[in-house]
Amino acid sequence: MTMVDLTVVIITKNEESNLRKCIESFRGIAKRFVIVDSYSTDGTEHLCRVLDAELQLIGSKLDFYQNEFVDHATQLNWGFANTNINTEWSMRIDADEELMEDLADEINNKLMDLARDVNGVVLRRRVYFMGRWIKHGGRYPELLLRIFRTGKAACEQKIMDEHMVLLEGKSIEFKYDLIDNNTKDLEWWTNKHNWYSNREVLDYQKTNATTLLNDSAQQGKLTKQAKMKRVVKNKGYYGMPKFFRAHLYFIYRYYIKLGFLDGPEGRIFHFLQAYWYRFLVDAKMFECEKFDRKLGVQGELKS
């Protein structure tokens, strides 16, 4: 393989168990890796020094930065703007993601030969859960803009469900897959989604579907799939009664979209997505509304 004029940006927080497989999946094709770390307390920083020494042997390098975490969008945009990226192409990838070998070959063979009016590349992502590919339930493929000409895309400024968006030009889709394959355990997964649920509630409170779509249009071009999912979520899912919608979500994913075909791992995944994450979001929304009503009543009594 040859080396592509590509800088890969990865944001990290305690990703010692995932980071090596992510970087090694590029198989030496990326000129530079940029790690934007949120002050990890595990061995992430030490691992980055080790990986940098290994990458230098093949003519690549890894640069380690630290920045206080606010949200994923802010951290990503800080990384793209403040780490002296001078390659023709930039890429976002998460530490728990990796390239399939066919995708690494495709990037190596195609990226530098794309037409000048192509500023972005959409990749297909497959999600693994407890070691199994979640192929059904409407989860595959997820189409995500991940590679772009440097300076031609940014991460939309959202608290949750943020996407890279093109600022100008057009995008094309590559054929092969990116893998989301976190090696951490189920306790970590549930704790992460508890944290995500707080951010989901905050995002919902601060915006509505119309605002979200207008903001996206102002910032750039989402993929068609991302636009559709956002419309369905904000105008469809959130238009249904709380708690009941989590039940419908499970039925849709597990039965209608054939999630049961992914075995016990698929059942656990879709059950937790619906009755842990989505139900928890509704419970926290209910809690916020109840608290707000209580404050309103107390305010009226005082007046």
Side-chain angles (χ1 to χ4, degrees):
M1 286 189 177
T2 57
M3 192 167 292
V4 179
D5 197 24
L6 171 68
T7 295
V8 180
V9 175
I10 309 170
I11 60 174
T12 59
K13 175 68 175 182
N14 295 335
E15 291 290 357
E16 181 183 11
S17 64
N18 286 311
L19 189 57
R20 175 176 285 279
K21 67 181 178 63
C22 173
I23 289 175
E24 289 183 347
S25 74
F26 282 81
R27 294 169 173 80
I29 66 170
K31 184 175 181 179
R32 182 184 180 215
F33 293 89
V34 166
I35 306 299
V36 182
D37 184 68
S38 305
Y39 298 96
S40 292
T41 56
D42 66 351
T44 297
E45 183 173 1
H46 173 71
L47 175 60
C48 286
R49 290 196 293 269
V50 172
L51 289 170
D52 180 44
E54 294 174 2
L55 287 167
Q56 288 189 36
L57 295 175
I58 60 171
S60 182
K61 66 176 179 176
L62 183 151
D63 293 320
F64 182 83
Y65 297 81
Q66 288 185 312
N67 189 55
E68 194 68 39
F69 186 87
V70 176
D71 54 53
H72 288 89
T74 300
Q75 194 78 329
L76 280 165
N77 287 329
W78 185 93
F80 288 121
N82 294 279
T83 58
N84 303 310
I85 297 175
N86 56 18
T87 51
E88 181 177 355
W89 291 92
S90 298
M91 179 177 183
R92 169 197 173 175
I93 193 169
D94 295 338
D96 57 1
E97 294 174 336
E98 57 194 277
L99 308 186
M100 295 192 70
E101 185 173 356
D102 287 340
L103 178 57
D105 289 339
E106 188 172 23
I107 293 171
N108 184 60
N109 293 330
K110 292 183 179 180
L111 190 62
M112 299 306 296
D113 294 327
L114 293 180
R116 292 303 305 175
D117 62 340
V118 174
N119 285 337
V121 178
V122 173
L123 302 182
R124 300 162 60 91
R125 182 170 70 173
R126 60 169 72 174
V127 173
Y128 280 72
F129 179 76
M130 300 181 77
R132 180 161 186 162
W133 177 14
I134 305 301
K135 188 176 182 179
H136 304 90
R139 296 294 307 208
Y140 176 80
E142 291 182 286
L143 302 178
L144 303 167
L145 176 71
R146 287 301 186 86
I147 305 174
F148 51 90
R149 293 191 192 273
T150 299
K152 300 299 184 182
C155 188
E156 54 177 346
Q157 197 62 52
K158 290 182 78 274
I159 298 171
M160 274 292 294
D161 192 32
E162 75 289 337
H163 289 267
M164 299 301 301
V165 290
L166 273 185
L167 303 177
E168 60 181 88
K170 68 180 184 180
S171 63
I172 65 167
E173 182 180 329
F174 274 4
K175 178 180 179 180
Y176 295 107
D177 289 359
L178 176 75
I179 300 174
D180 179 336
N181 185 22
N182 200 299
T183 59
K184 296 177 183 177
D185 60 20
L186 196 56
E187 180 180 9
W188 174 88
W189 190 97
T190 53
N191 287 335
K192 182 185 76 168
H193 281 74
N194 184 32
W195 178 66
Y196 277 177
S197 69
N198 293 333
R199 305 186 75 81
E200 179 90 16
V201 172
L202 182 59
D203 185 63
Y204 178 81
Q205 290 174 333
K206 292 183 67 175
T207 58
N208 55 47
T210 301
T211 302
L212 285 169
L213 291 172
N214 288 341
D215 286 348
S216 295
Q218 292 170 3
Q219 293 184 48
K221 302 175 183 177
L222 288 168
T223 65
K224 291 181 180 179
Q225 185 191 62
K227 288 179 182 178
M228 181 57 66
K229 284 184 176 180
R230 191 161 293 172
V231 170
V232 170
K233 177 182 175 182
N234 290 286
K235 291 189 174 181
Y237 180 82
Y238 279 131
M240 293 186 289
K242 291 183 186 65
F243 307 116
F244 176 69
R245 60 197 180 199
H247 182 56
L248 289 182
Y249 180 90
F250 178 75
I251 292 173
Y252 175 75
R253 293 290 187 189
Y254 191 68
Y255 293 107
I256 297 175
K257 299 297 288 184
L258 308 180
F260 62 87
L261 292 176
D262 291 323
E265 296 88 353
R267 181 174 180 82
I268 295 168
F269 178 81
H270 292 294
F271 187 93
L272 290 178
Q273 287 284 357
Y275 296 120
W276 167 248
Y277 180 58
R278 287 291 160 200
F279 195 93
L280 185 60
V281 169
D282 280 355
K284 290 182 178 181
M285 287 182 177
F286 176 80
E287 180 184 46
C288 290
E289 291 166 3
K290 184 175 181 179
F291 184 69
D292 288 343
R293 286 195 299 268
K294 183 177 180 180
L295 286 180
V297 170
Q298 289 175 346
E300 291 175 4
L301 292 175
K302 288 181 180 178
S303 62

